[in-house]
Amino acid sequence: MLSFISREILKEEKNTHMTHIEDQVIYGGVNGTRQAINALRELRDMLQGKTSGDLSVKWDGAPAIFAGIDPSDG
């Protein structure tokens, strides 16, 4: 938790595009697959406390709309 006394800085930036890790495999071929594997390994190590790093999360607030017949009540 950050406090007013802390010298840490919370950086928030607009992230307009983030390639999904599974898309790295599809669009990047062998190199994309290597990048995806390395990213997952880095995430694993960071979550285990072995390394420090930055984690970027994109919150997509777009609502989902489903259209069609509800199978439970027709």
Side-chain angles (χ1 to χ4, degrees):
M1 180 173 162
L2 296 177
S3 68
F4 291 110
I5 300 171
S6 174
R7 296 192 183 268
E8 295 179 44
I9 298 174
L10 177 63
K11 234 178 19 175
E12 294 185 16
E13 299 173 3
K14 186 174 182 179
N15 188 353
T16 57
H17 180 75
M18 182 182 290
T19 302
H20 293 198
I21 199 156
E22 66 272 15
D23 292 339
Q24 287 283 66
V25 174
I26 295 170
Y27 300 135
V30 173
N31 288 334
T33 302
R34 286 189 183 120
Q35 289 173 357
I37 291 169
N38 289 334
L40 290 172
R41 286 179 177 161
E42 289 174 17
L43 177 62
R44 176 203 59 200
D45 293 344
M46 186 180 67
L47 292 174
Q48 290 178 342
K50 294 179 181 177
T51 62
S52 62
D54 294 329
L55 181 64
S56 179
V57 178
K58 181 179 178 188
W59 297 98
D60 187 1
I65 299 173
F66 297 93
I69 299 171
D70 186 347
S72 65
D73 62 8

